[in-house]
Amino acid sequence: MNFLPTTLDEMKKLGWEQPDVILFSGDAYVDHPSFGAAVIGRVLEAEGFKVVIVPQPNWQDDLRDFRKFGRPRLFFGVSPGAMDSMVNHYTAGRRLRHDDAYTAGGRHGRRPDYPSIVYTQALKKLFPDVPVVIGGIEASLRRIAHYDYWQDKLRPSILFDSGADILIYGMGERPIAEIAHKLDKGEPLASLSDVRQTAVFSSETPAHSDIVLAPFSECLRDKTKQIENFKKVEIESNKRECHTIWQQTNGRMLKINPPFPPLSTAAIDSIYKLPFTRLPHPRYKGKTIPAYEMIRHSVTMHRGCYGGCAFCTISAHQGKAISSRSKESIVEEVKRIAEMPDYKGYISDLGGPSANMYMTDGKNTELCRKCSRPSCLHPKVCPNLNTDHSRLLDVYRAVDSLPEVKKAFVGSGVRYDLAMADSGNDDVNRTNRLYLEQLISRHVSGRLKVAPEHTSDHVLNLMRKPSFKLFEEFNTFFHKVNRKYGLNQQLIPYFISSHPGCREVDMAELAVRTKDLNFHLEQVQDFTPTPMTLATEMFYAGINPYTGTKEFTAKSPIEKEAQRLFFFWYKPDARQRIIDRLRRLHRPDLLRKLYPVSSSKRRK
């Protein structure tokens, strides 16, 4: 099997004297379309370039990993990993994690904090005149001035901190190919200043139609400047036709070019046709890479998400518009998976960022071109959104019909509010209910993941999520389908504590409402502020950028732990602490609902 070379010997066996591009990745090298560095490498390879990859270089020695291939003919590429390094390294409480799912053996410590910065600075020290291109989720979310939760301060664009020459944001196949071809033609680095979906420092003057943000220095002095900047960036990022954005940063002008249009079906199909081995590189000698184990037999059917959740970074990276693969492309990938030696007849996931947004788009795309709503689902499902799930059902049936497939599961999260929305068309409504029924009866591996996130209407509105009443309706439907088919499956809801706007009493009420539905919550998390999300801006400034209203946010460890405690009302070691908290909140009504026996004993 042909992997991209990772050593000088591997490169020499191909007869190469010098690579065109050297990629540095914060992840182990897994040649699979779910790993960004592998995709970028394969795309450049398909464009005719000689690409090598250095996975998880050692940055703490004499930098030999950064020197081993010498100078590339064109540029260095830095991809810090499929997961943000700081989320990968630290819990919401800023405690160090002890494992890394993207490293062989799950071993911690194989990548630094902020790899984009550390790797680029190492490369610039060794090869100061060679262009460095940074990309991936770390670059996407930090392309503009942003609040950094782990350092608890506002930071400039990562382009400034890293010293890289150009930053690619979003899914990088098209910009990286254009950069490579321009440099291959001998064009100077300065000629790259207009490449779409990139950020550079420029000496140009902003055009009249461009958006000029408040300078970074002003944002440092005034939090309202920062959140106003965020609002402009988010609105602009959600448009189909975007303007160039500028921000003065430490005496230099940062220029963020508009993104490329969403990939067509033919274009995204061509990426998944590339010759991925779908395996970890042999250098790992059979060691388990946890992230790979999760996705080895999965299929990504589309990109993008128009949910616009306030705490989520998907739309900031992948975009709001949906780019879907053809049914034929998906079926072909399933057939390739079926040829893998370890395949046992099960596809672990037919999914995407939100599993059921496949092939959905605006009915009138001209209206979409004028729209800047951050969410097509909140505060209610857009009437222009075509929610028809029939093409998704068609894919499920095509995969199910393959003799090699015993069962194809949907492991990605599902937006039940999308499938349950009244489309105004009875046929579409029936199709969508049929979709939910088929999903529950045929494509759940015993547990279906959904994300109501909270029960409080105020918090849900800040999250840009639907009312909890809709989850209650879906829960009823889920169990009805289970009874119909004689199944005993679980619905696994995700919830978040300490989100901006959430108070301790909201968590107490969440405990009561989920108890009434017989849930013992497992999939829960404390809100983690990540750059370029609405929730993070509210956490930082205490103000909703869109309304100007102040919003309480739990920030201290004591406040956050008090909220998180209510998830675990059913655990004996949490009981007395919760009773004490509810007494302090003067909510005997909630106490009686959570612990009715204890309440009756106290009355005696």
Side-chain angles (χ1 to χ4, degrees):
M1 289 187 177
N2 295 320
F3 290 84
L4 299 175
T6 65
T7 66
L8 208 55
D9 285 344
E10 290 172 12
M11 186 182 79
K12 294 291 186 182
K13 286 178 181 178
L14 297 175
W16 301 353
E17 290 300 318
Q18 180 187 32
D20 296 323
V21 179
I22 303 175
L23 297 178
F24 288 83
S25 172
D27 292 336
Y29 174 30
V30 180
D31 190 36
H32 188 284
S34 291
F35 286 73
V39 174
I40 293 301
R42 290 299 185 186
V43 166
L44 287 170
E45 178 188 53
E47 294 289 329
F49 298 104
K50 298 172 183 175
V51 185
V52 299
I53 185 167
V54 182
Q56 299 187 314
N58 188 340
W59 73 100
Q60 296 172 304
D61 60 6
D62 61 358
L63 304 182
R64 66 190 64 180
D65 284 342
F66 294 88
R67 292 185 283 112
K68 67 180 180 181
F69 285 109
R71 302 167 65 90
R73 187 173 67 86
L74 299 177
F75 64 88
F76 292 111
V78 172
S79 174
M83 183 178 181
D84 185 272
S85 67
M86 303 307 285
V87 177
N88 179 288
H89 282 175
Y90 301 96
T91 68
R94 299 189 179 98
R95 290 186 293 273
L96 190 66
R97 299 185 192 274
H98 299 294
D99 55 7
D100 184 337
Y102 292 86
T103 297
R107 180 182 166 189
H108 175 80
R110 292 301 305 273
R111 82 181 84 214
D113 292 352
Y114 311 107
S116 299
I117 296 173
V118 175
Y119 293 173
T120 301
Q121 289 179 351
L123 291 169
K124 283 297 184 182
K125 177 181 178 181
L126 296 169
F127 308 96
D129 57 336
V130 177
V132 177
V133 182
I134 60 173
I137 193 160
E138 188 168 84
S140 279
L141 303 187
R142 294 168 172 81
R143 61 186 185 258
I144 199 77
H146 56 279
Y147 170 69
D148 186 283
Y149 171 67
W150 296 274
Q151 294 190 350
D152 192 24
K153 70 177 185 180
L154 206 63
R155 295 186 64 157
S157 167
I158 198 168
L159 191 64
F160 179 87
D161 278 341
S162 67
D165 297 281
I166 188 166
L167 176 154
I168 292 174
Y169 66 90
M171 309 299 274
E173 296 95 345
R174 282 180 290 184
I176 200 74
E178 184 170 333
I179 289 168
H181 282 297
K182 281 180 175 288
L183 292 176
D184 189 43
K185 291 175 184 175
E187 296 185 26
L189 193 60
S191 71
L192 304 180
S193 64
D194 291 325
V195 175
R196 280 181 171 267
Q197 215 163 301
T198 65
V200 295
F201 282 110
S202 174
S203 58
E204 303 169 46
T205 301
H208 178 71
S209 60
D210 293 348
I211 293 174
V212 180
L213 304 176
F216 176 61
S217 58
E218 291 186 14
C219 295
L220 286 172
R221 293 193 298 267
D222 185 349
K223 290 183 178 181
T224 61
K225 297 279 188 180
Q226 168 62 19
I227 63 171
E228 186 61 31
N229 277 358
F230 167 81
K231 179 181 173 182
K232 290 176 181 177
V233 171
E234 184 180 52
I235 289 173
E236 199 61 32
S237 300
N238 285 316
K239 293 179 180 178
R240 295 286 175 101
E241 297 177 359
C242 307
H243 295 89
T244 301
I245 297 173
W246 297 80
Q247 185 180 37
Q248 188 183 72
T249 304
N250 295 346
R252 305 169 72 185
M253 285 299 286
L254 176 72
K255 179 188 181 188
I256 302 178
N257 292 304
F260 279 94
L263 285 171
S264 66
T265 293
I268 196 170
D269 281 356
S270 69
I271 293 168
Y272 285 86
K273 283 182 181 177
L274 295 173
F276 298 99
T277 65
R278 300 187 66 89
L279 297 170
H281 190 277
R283 64 189 286 142
Y284 302 115
K285 298 177 181 177
K287 288 182 182 177
T288 297
I289 300 173
Y292 170 68
E293 296 302 313
M294 290 179 63
I295 53 83
R296 65 194 306 163
H297 297 148
S298 70
V299 178
T300 300
M301 303 200 302
H302 62 279
R303 294 177 178 178
C305 181
Y306 47 71
C309 297
F311 49 82
C312 182
T313 60
I314 292 173
S315 62
H317 181 59
Q318 293 196 8
K320 177 182 171 186
I322 305 299
S323 294
S324 299
R325 297 169 62 185
S326 66
K327 177 179 70 175
E328 292 74 21
S329 172
I330 293 166
V331 170
E332 282 304 309
E333 186 173 357
V334 171
K335 289 179 179 178
R336 289 198 297 274
I337 293 172
E339 295 173 355
M340 296 175 69
D342 63 343
Y343 176 71
K344 306 296 183 185
Y346 300 97
I347 300 298
S348 61
D349 187 20
L350 292 173
S354 290
N356 58 321
M357 288 185 182
Y358 176 78
M359 285 288 183
T360 55
D361 197 0
K363 300 170 188 174
N364 181 344
T365 54
E366 284 303 309
L367 290 178
C368 294
R369 294 174 75 86
K370 301 173 185 177
C371 179
S372 60
R373 277 179 58 172
S375 172
C376 300
L377 303 180
H378 184 270
K380 61 181 180 180
V381 176
C382 176
N384 186 48
L385 181 63
N386 178 9
T387 64
D388 188 351
H389 285 51
S390 58
R391 285 175 289 186
L392 181 53
L393 273 171
D394 194 28
V395 172
Y396 287 177
R397 289 164 180 156
V399 172
D400 283 350
S401 70
L402 295 173
E404 305 96 324
V405 176
K406 295 178 183 177
K407 203 85 168 176
F409 298 114
V410 175
S412 300
V414 172
R415 288 299 298 248
Y416 55 84
D417 51 336
L418 175 63
M420 295 174 70
D422 183 359
S423 69
N425 181 310
D426 290 342
D427 289 337
V428 171
N429 290 346
R430 280 192 291 271
T431 295
N432 292 356
R433 288 294 170 134
L434 179 62
Y435 160 77
L436 288 174
E437 184 169 333
Q438 179 165 330
L439 171 75
I440 296 166
S441 62
R442 292 188 58 83
H443 302 287
V444 175
S445 60
R447 296 156 68 94
L448 177 63
K449 296 184 292 187
V450 293
E453 308 294 9
H454 216 285
T455 59
S456 160
D457 284 340
H458 174 67
V459 177
L460 287 167
N461 188 53
L462 291 174
M463 289 178 164
R464 295 178 179 155
K465 296 287 286 186
S467 169
F468 190 69
K469 292 178 182 177
L470 192 62
F471 170 77
E472 292 173 325
E473 291 176 24
F474 179 70
N475 183 52
T476 299
F477 181 83
F478 178 83
H479 290 294
K480 179 181 177 181
V481 173
N482 272 274
R483 289 193 297 272
K484 178 178 177 179
Y485 289 90
L487 301 171
N488 183 28
Q489 300 179 135
Q490 285 183 289
L491 192 60
I492 306 299
Y494 282 67
F495 289 94
I496 295 176
S497 60
S498 300
H499 188 277
C502 178
R503 295 180 179 273
E504 191 176 340
V505 69
D506 296 317
M507 294 302 299
E509 290 172 350
L510 181 153
V512 168
R513 291 191 72 174
T514 54
K515 180 194 176 188
D516 288 345
L517 294 172
N518 297 315
F519 284 110
H520 286 193
L521 302 181
E522 303 171 21
Q523 299 295 332
V524 299
Q525 67 182 72
D526 196 9
F527 169 65
T528 303
T530 49
M532 217 167 175
T533 69
L534 172 61
T536 296
E537 300 300 323
M538 288 192 283
F539 178 93
Y540 170 63
I543 300 171
N544 185 333
Y546 285 88
T547 65
T549 56
K550 293 183 178 180
E551 295 294 346
F552 168 81
T553 302
K555 291 189 175 183
S556 73
I558 293 174
E559 289 175 324
K560 292 166 80 69
E561 177 55 31
Q563 291 206 14
R564 185 176 173 79
L565 180 65
F566 283 98
F567 284 138
F568 307 110
W569 61 268
Y570 55 89
K571 293 187 175 181
D573 61 344
R575 183 185 183 104
Q576 189 56 51
R577 286 181 290 160
I578 289 176
I579 290 172
D580 293 341
R581 300 301 304 180
L582 287 172
R583 285 173 176 166
R584 290 193 189 97
L585 292 171
H586 304 291
R587 292 301 301 266
D589 56 324
L590 298 178
L591 183 55
R592 286 192 295 272
K593 290 176 181 178
L594 273 183
Y595 305 116
V597 175
S598 297
S599 300
S600 62
K601 285 182 179 179
R602 281 196 302 275
R603 284 195 298 272
K604 292 179 183 179

